[in-house]
Amino acid sequence: MRQQLIWDLPTRLFHWLLVVSIAAQYVTAEWMDDATQWHFYIGYFTLGLLVFRLVWGVIGPTYARFSQFVKGPSAVIGYLRTLFDKNSAAVAGHNPLGGWFVVVMLLLLMVQAVSGLFMTDDIFLDGPYRHLVSNNTLDLMNTLHHLAFDILLWVIGLHVAAIGFYAVYKKQKLVPPMFHGKKDTNDKPIPSSRLWLALVIALVTAAALYYAIEIAPPTPEVEEYF
């Protein structure tokens, strides 16, 4: 085996920016007072990352695509049979089990990010779509926002534990390739990171989110008292 470029730069940037975003959201929500506005801003940024990743998962390089790592039950079961085999070959991209962890994590983050558009601090700040829905919907969004994050913490814990398991038990280091992009494998590498395509997608995503958050929501009606 020789080192091959597996993880493109946009996928690696997404991964680490998402780590920072999740940590910042937790800190601004749980550890800091008067940081609600920053919590909203970071949430919008996280939503942008997720939209980019969903598009990149369709048209990005080979190992970033969902079609490459989202496998059916037979592939997952087959992989589970080799999970505790120390000599099993490392998978170039996400393994069939890890691929589903990625899907679950993205879904939880998307639920949290979208529900955050309807949140409020009950004092000064409201999400851009809070005033457009009923109180029942607001209650549902509030529940989803907090429930998704609670579940996400468990998923992140399992993810970290899996990284430790692969590093200690199987002698497969998963973190360094997420920095430099290369893994020891005989599988076909990607030819490039397709940076220009990633830049275009990022700019279009940013413009679309700006429109959806700042322009599209109608101005809430203000009740007049006489």
Side-chain angles (χ1 to χ4, degrees), residues 1-13 56 60-65 68 91-94 176-195:
M1 293 190 296
R2 58 197 179 98
Q3 282 208 329
Q4 311 268 34
L5 181 61
I6 298 299
W7 298 123
D8 57 88
L9 181 58
T11 297
R12 285 179 274 148
L13 285 175
W56 198 241
T62 302
Y63 299 101
R65 296 188 180 189
Q68 195 278 331
V91 178
H94 293 297
M178 269 297 164
F179 284 103
H180 53 64
K182 296 181 179 181
K183 296 182 75 173
D184 291 323
T185 179
N186 289 323
D187 291 339
K188 185 178 179 180
I190 60 172
S192 72
S193 289
R194 306 181 71 181
L195 295 180

Side-chain angles (χ1 to χ4, degrees), residues 213-224:
I213 293 170
E214 294 292 336
I215 300 175
T219 303
E221 296 181 1
V222 179
E223 296 183 2
E224 296 183 1

Side-chain angles (χ1 to χ4, degrees), residues 98-121:
W100 280 104
F101 262 85
V102 172
V103 171
V104 169
M105 191 174 295
L106 291 178
L107 286 175
L108 288 170
L109 285 166
M110 186 60 75
V111 168
Q112 195 195 22
V114 172
S115 62
L117 299 175
F118 301 85
M119 298 296 288
T120 178
D121 66 351

Side-chain angles (χ1 to χ4, degrees), residues 6 20-21 39 41 83 107 125 148 158 176-177 183 208 211 223-224:
I6 298 299
V20 173
S21 296
H39 189 74
Y41 288 152
L83 184 61
L107 286 175
L125 300 173
L158 288 173
K183 296 182 75 173
Y211 176 82
E223 296 183 2
E224 296 183 1

